[in-house]
Amino acid sequence: MSIVGHPRRAAHLPHSPLYSTPSHHLDHTARALLSYRKAKEIALSYNVDMHDLLSLTPKFWQLHNDPVALLDGAAMMLLTIQYNLCAGTIARHAVRRPELLPIVGDLLRYRKHGQYMLTELGHGLDISNIETTATLLPSGDFILDSPTPSSAKFMPPTAPAGLPCVAVVFAKLIVNGEYRGHRSFLVPLNDGRHMCNGVRSRVLPYREGPNPVMHSLTTFHNVRLPRSALLGSLARPPDLHANLMDIIHRVSVGTIAITGVALSAMKCYATIGALYSLRRRIGSPSKPVPILSFRTQHGPILTVAASAYVMQAMQSWAIARFCDKNLDARVRHGIAATLKAVMVQHSQQGALNISERCGAQGLFAHNQMTRIHSEVRGLAIAEGDILALSIKVVNELLLGRYTLPPSAHPDSLLARHEAGLLSDLRAAVQRVGQHRGEDANKLILPRCQPMMEAIGHRMAYDAALAHGVRPALIDLYVASVVKLDPAWYVEHAGLGCVAQQAMETLAMDAVLPMLGELVREMDVFAYVSAPIASDERWGSFVDGLGVLEGTASVELLAPAREGVLDAQHELMRSHL
């Protein structure tokens, strides 16, 4: 099930010492530094060049869909920041400024680390109001400064990690006391061992759950930058908001690119769930029964498998539309945001459902599921928080600023659901009278994410049909989506509770005989490190654990002294 035209150029890495040597015994910092080395090996395996970054070639998408991310999500996170956000931003300017080409080359060949510093502690997604300033001096240089504690850049990992590190830093441009909009600047952060003058990095406590990253709070204190550090013009743009959206355009690329990790995660969950459920048996030793035979066990596995196939079709469709420069940029961004919303939704549902069906084993990070679930939680926020994206896209649709591609199957259940929710929202806007204000806050905003997810479900259904996904998988996907909003289908589609359950039952009955074939086609077993996936792996895992032995002896009951026991018996008889 590797994507057609998307070869896995890092297929050798899971068997390499760097990836195959267990690292759970290392401390957090050692593991965080190890992720930089892993990111470099992935990068060199793909040999991405500037053309790949700017033209978004198949190789660019191949990189982001490589399931090697399952073995270290931190490595893939570091890599996509360095390639897509940092190098991608600089490469756009390097087309007209050849002096920047060596920097792009150093980033692509991993001779330098790269970071992307946009959001601030006190502002989050409210990037229009970031406080970091870059003030033009009479000499032509700039002073980069973080004027308040809330202007600290949050959370790029800026601590030294062995190689010199440069960053694309976003700031308010000040010229002759005039604010001229936001700009990006090329800023050296450290030389691999020590921070650069005026740059302060405070490493945050590690997140518990995912592979560790040295996330930081970073501030700038009168950092002097040459004129060449400015990526862009000094002139005030006619539209400040349009300028900001333009200079952060790589974020929307990242919105769609990082869905590859969530897609690989779904395949991983289905594979681990199926293999473990075949191994785990109950009943008498003479006739043991694999727990996979129970509907409560194989149901979640079949559902996430069906979702993976359908979402892969949607991703292929979305990437093609996103790369179509004839489409309005807002439409392309809306498609990317919608894909991310539903990809993360289905991936996170699969993680919880299958890890729970693995019992206590599903709680441990070495069995991958809880760790990957935590990493995908980060994806939900990275490159645009899903809720914020939903509010933006749905409000723009309600205001008629653009439309997303319509359904090719408007009579389908999911298309009718999308149309029904959108009609209800438009009616709510009419009642409220505006898309802002207290009434809109209460009645419109809470419905934006479910609305965008409904759009995504319909798009996924249409894409699955167009890409020839097995009908049984599409049927199971539809049944699983209906369960997300069962009341609507009862009220508006005449689909009662019994009928909804029957849909799911028939679909699961059809998909169950395919499960082994589906798992083989997903082809992620090489990237599954969970010990519970096989007897061999479990045995190797146990053999590698530290063993505690000794010669200690502990007496649980002290021996009775002579005459004491008889006295105790006499006392008991007297009470009786």
Side-chain angles (χ1 to χ4, degrees), residues 163-186:
L163 292 176
C165 183
V166 299
V168 173
V169 178
F170 291 83
K172 296 162 64 176
L173 176 62
I174 308 297
V175 178
N176 296 326
E178 177 192 12
Y179 165 58
R180 294 192 178 180
H182 297 76
R183 295 294 191 280
S184 55
F185 293 82
L186 188 58

Side-chain angles (χ1 to χ4, degrees), residues 515-536:
L515 182 56
E517 180 183 0
L518 298 176
V519 170
R520 285 192 296 272
E521 288 180 5
M522 289 179 188
D523 192 23
V524 296
F525 184 71
Y527 307 90
V528 170
S529 61
I532 60 170
S534 72
D535 292 337
E536 179 185 4

Side-chain angles (χ1 to χ4, degrees), residues 463-480:
L465 288 174
H467 283 76
V469 174
R470 295 172 178 86
L473 296 176
I474 299 176
D475 290 343
L476 180 52
Y477 178 75
V478 171
S480 69

Side-chain angles (χ1 to χ4, degrees), residues 484-514:
L484 298 175
D485 191 4
W488 188 93
Y489 291 95
V490 172
E491 291 184 48
H492 302 284
L495 201 62
C497 297
V498 174
Q500 292 181 27
Q501 185 175 9
M503 280 180 62
E504 182 182 57
T505 299
L506 290 173
M508 286 188 177
D509 288 346
V511 174
L512 182 57
M514 309 175 188

